[in-house]
Amino acid sequence: MTKRTTLLTTILLLLAGISFAEAPATMRLDYFHSGNRDMEMFSVEQVVIEPLPWTGNMHQPLDNTLRGKYLFEVIDNESGEMTWSRSFSSIYGEWETTGEARRMNRTLHESIRFPAPGGVATVVMKKRDANNDFKEVWRTTVDPSDYMNHHESAMYADQVIAIHNSGDPAQKVDLLLLGDGYTAEEQDDFIAKAQELTDALFAVSPFKERKDDFNVWALAPASAESGVSRPSTNTYRDSPLRTTYDAFRSERYVLTFDNKAWRRVASSTPYDFVEILTNTETYGGGGIYGLFSTAAANSASAVYLFVHEFGHHFAGLADEYYTSSVAYEAPEDIVEPYEPNVTALLDPDKLKWKHLVGESTPLPTPWPKQEFEEHSMSVQQTRAQMRADNVPEAEMNELFAYTKEYSEKLFEQNEFKDSIGAFEGANYQAKGYYRSEQNCLMFTRTDYFCRVCSDAIEKVIDEYTQPL
């Protein structure tokens, strides 16, 4: 990192009202994650020292929420003490549950970030087993003084915009909005959209009440042409972040598989969480806990997509819907899921949100499940045909609006419409998994989180902003 880029970054952050306390460097371990349904392996690609010092909350070095499929721990070799840990999920972790993982091997590039240790340290990677207990799957050594570590420069620092500035990144949740598919001439459009969606996020509880616990940054490296790839319609764009529709051959699932590309851009600014805004109109998005979320910024459902997908990425919330097609295969055995907002209800007396359930609320909790399923499955067939016919997006938006109105009217008739209980149908499965309320932003395109999801979100905010 050159003196010039260090100065540039410091000036930009000071102009934004940010001052860094003394903090360790930011270390990033880039690695390859390979395998199939039956085996996996990890290989070091490089150790990176990012241009900015660590901007996370040093008061809570160990993860207390444990919402992901994987967990990494940093252990000081001299003392044997654990200095940092974080749970996360990954694209590979999703891919291995698809049918494709039974037929072939894949390799995906991944990263974990942590404050640079004071000396040589061991990074231990753990993964949940069939019972959702963490078991070690890999370990490697990192040395912050190794001259072979790659030192990145803040090459995008002069393009970073502060959308919402609440103070010192070390005491705030830093959300980075990355734009993809925006040309140099469309930068103002991106900033306007970033501001619009930021305002929308902070209009939803509990983000509304915790707005001052967040900083929001925005950055969109210029693209040669507008938009991102959508292979199912023969649309291909060589956008800077390589974001694409049709992830895992699901037409609405939007991801980037180029981890190195977006990490290189993101390292120029503080970030704990990232949402990628695609310069597209077609409905689509995605969210992976601790990695990133995505949303089609120009969709009529952009606000819903932005907030819903951020729920996955930020708080590890599970999808509560189950009638839409997904690429993942159903689990062979039903065990209690680790996500905070769904349950297998194997023991109602140990329901994870039992303290919120009223004495008169039955478990499982009745709701118009059959009527909802019949309507929803019919809509899904219509939707699939409309996508096959490549109808204008306005027609698809009309279908979404109709579905939302139908569901809200149906739910209003239920005796337990305002109750917290255990409503069957969640986690992509019609049977065997339950959600806490009849409706929630993680279930339909409504505009509010249920109480359980809200509480789960607040716990993450506390982990990034509060001392122990």
Side-chain angles (χ1 to χ4, degrees):
M1 181 174 61
T2 67
K3 182 176 181 180
R4 177 181 177 277
T5 55
T6 303
L7 180 61
L8 174 60
T9 303
T10 302
I11 290 174
L12 287 169
L13 293 170
L14 287 174
L15 285 173
I18 299 300
S19 62
F20 287 120
E22 289 189 12
T26 299
M27 179 172 278
R28 191 177 80 229
L29 175 59
D30 291 349
Y31 60 92
F32 295 109
H33 195 169
S34 305
N36 53 44
R37 179 64 69 91
D38 300 317
M39 60 80 66
E40 66 183 310
M41 65 177 294
F42 301 80
S43 306
V44 173
E45 193 252 343
Q46 65 176 350
V47 175
V48 178
I49 305 299
E50 293 191 350
L52 299 187
W54 183 254
T55 59
N57 182 9
M58 296 295 291
H59 295 293
Q60 295 200 48
L62 305 184
D63 190 349
N64 295 312
T65 53
L66 300 176
R67 303 276 177 84
K69 188 173 185 174
Y70 294 88
L71 168 70
F72 77 88
E73 301 169 342
V74 181
I75 301 172
D76 181 79
N77 280 12
E78 183 174 348
S79 67
E81 294 184 1
M82 189 186 308
T83 62
W84 194 264
S85 71
R86 282 296 181 270
S87 178
F88 67 99
S89 295
S90 66
I91 296 177
Y92 181 94
E94 290 194 357
W95 172 78
E96 69 175 1
T97 68
T98 68
E100 187 178 82
R102 296 182 182 276
R103 305 187 299 271
M104 62 177 287
N105 299 333
R106 286 198 70 171
T107 296
L108 295 172
H109 190 275
E110 297 177 354
S111 301
I112 52 176
R113 299 168 73 241
F114 45 92
V120 178
T122 298
V123 176
V124 178
M125 186 74 71
K126 296 182 178 181
K127 181 185 182 182
R128 293 187 189 271
D129 62 13
N131 295 315
N132 281 332
D133 297 321
F134 283 112
K135 302 295 182 184
E136 182 177 333
V137 291
W138 181 52
R139 65 171 52 209
T140 190
T141 301
V142 294
D143 180 356
S145 64
D146 189 338
Y147 65 84
M148 292 302 292
N149 294 340
H150 175 62
H151 289 248
E152 282 187 349
S153 62
M155 63 186 300
Y156 293 94
D158 59 348
Q159 301 176 38
V160 179
I161 301 295
I163 298 294
H164 176 72
N165 176 15
S166 293
D168 185 351
Q171 299 173 5
K172 305 295 178 181
V173 178
D174 284 282
L175 168 59
L176 171 59
L177 305 182
L178 287 178
D180 200 22
Y182 289 88
T183 65
E185 293 74 26
E186 294 171 321
Q187 291 297 304
D188 289 345
D189 294 338
F190 165 69
I191 297 303
K193 184 60 67 172
Q195 184 67 64
E196 174 189 334
L197 293 176
T198 297
D199 292 343
L201 177 68
F202 292 137
V204 178
S205 294
F207 296 109
K208 178 180 180 179
E209 294 77 11
R210 303 295 298 270
K211 179 178 180 179
D212 290 341
D213 286 317
F214 284 77
N215 293 324
V216 182
W217 311 93
L219 172 59
S223 181
E225 54 184 332
S226 296
V228 303
S229 293
R230 191 177 169 213
S232 58
T233 59
N234 293 315
T235 302
Y236 300 96
R237 298 286 187 271
D238 191 17
S239 60
L241 306 183
R242 310 293 190 269
T243 315
T244 180
Y245 286 79
D246 300 299
F248 304 151
R249 298 183 184 274
S250 175
E251 54 90 9
R252 70 182 185 279
Y253 199 13
V254 180
L255 296 175
T256 173
F257 292 85
D258 195 336
N259 177 68
K260 205 164 188 176
W262 78 261
R263 294 283 185 182
R264 184 69 187 87
V265 176
S267 68
S268 292
T269 185
Y271 74 93
D272 298 309
F273 299 92
V274 173
E275 181 138 11
I276 299 173
L277 306 181
T278 61
N279 189 17
T280 54
E281 179 186 1
T282 302
Y283 182 96
I288 298 176
Y289 177 60
L291 182 61
F292 58 72
S293 51
T294 67
N298 306 326
S299 168
S301 300
V303 170
Y304 163 75
L305 288 165
F306 183 86
V307 180
H308 174 96
E309 301 301 352
F310 191 60
H312 290 308
H313 169 47
F314 182 76
L317 302 178
D319 274 319
E320 297 178 4
Y321 61 78
Y322 62 91
T323 56
S324 299
S325 60
V326 294
Y328 319 118
E329 296 185 345
E332 296 179 359
D333 300 305
I334 293 182
V335 298
E336 181 61 23
Y338 53 83
E339 295 90 346
N341 61 319
V342 292
T343 181
L345 202 64
L346 300 176
D347 185 351
D349 290 333
K350 295 182 179 179
L351 177 63
K352 50 182 88 165
W353 52 80
K354 180 75 172 178
H355 61 291
L356 298 175
V357 179
E359 293 184 3
S360 62
T361 302
L363 299 176
T365 312
W367 70 289
K369 185 171 184 284
Q370 182 175 347
E371 296 95 320
F372 175 81
E373 289 176 0
E374 290 176 353
H375 176 265
S376 186
M377 296 305 294
S378 174
V379 167
Q380 290 303 320
Q381 292 177 0
T382 301
R383 175 178 172 174
Q385 186 60 54
M386 291 172 69
R387 281 293 183 224
D389 295 340
N390 198 24
V391 302
E393 196 64 16
E395 294 185 27
M396 191 66 70
N397 294 334
E398 291 176 1
L399 178 65
F400 293 154
Y402 160 70
T403 303
K404 182 176 184 292
E405 181 181 2
Y406 176 91
S407 299
E408 289 175 348
K409 287 182 179 179
L410 178 66
F411 293 163
E412 190 64 27
Q413 304 168 18
N414 185 21
E415 174 186 357
F416 300 100
K417 63 181 181 179
D418 299 318
S419 299
I420 299 176
F423 297 79
E424 189 173 37
N427 210 26
Y428 312 131
Q429 303 301 317
K431 295 185 178 298
Y433 290 101
Y434 302 77
R435 60 194 189 278
S436 66
E437 294 187 35
Q438 181 176 235
N439 205 4
C440 175
L441 209 151
M442 301 309 294
F443 180 48
T444 71
R445 295 181 185 85
T446 191
D447 57 1
Y448 63 89
F449 286 106
C450 66
R451 171 70 182 276
V452 169
C453 286
S454 293
D455 288 352
I457 290 169
E458 292 228 54
K459 288 179 180 177
V460 178
I461 298 175
D462 289 343
E463 190 168 50
Y464 281 81
T465 61
Q466 305 295 323
L468 285 173

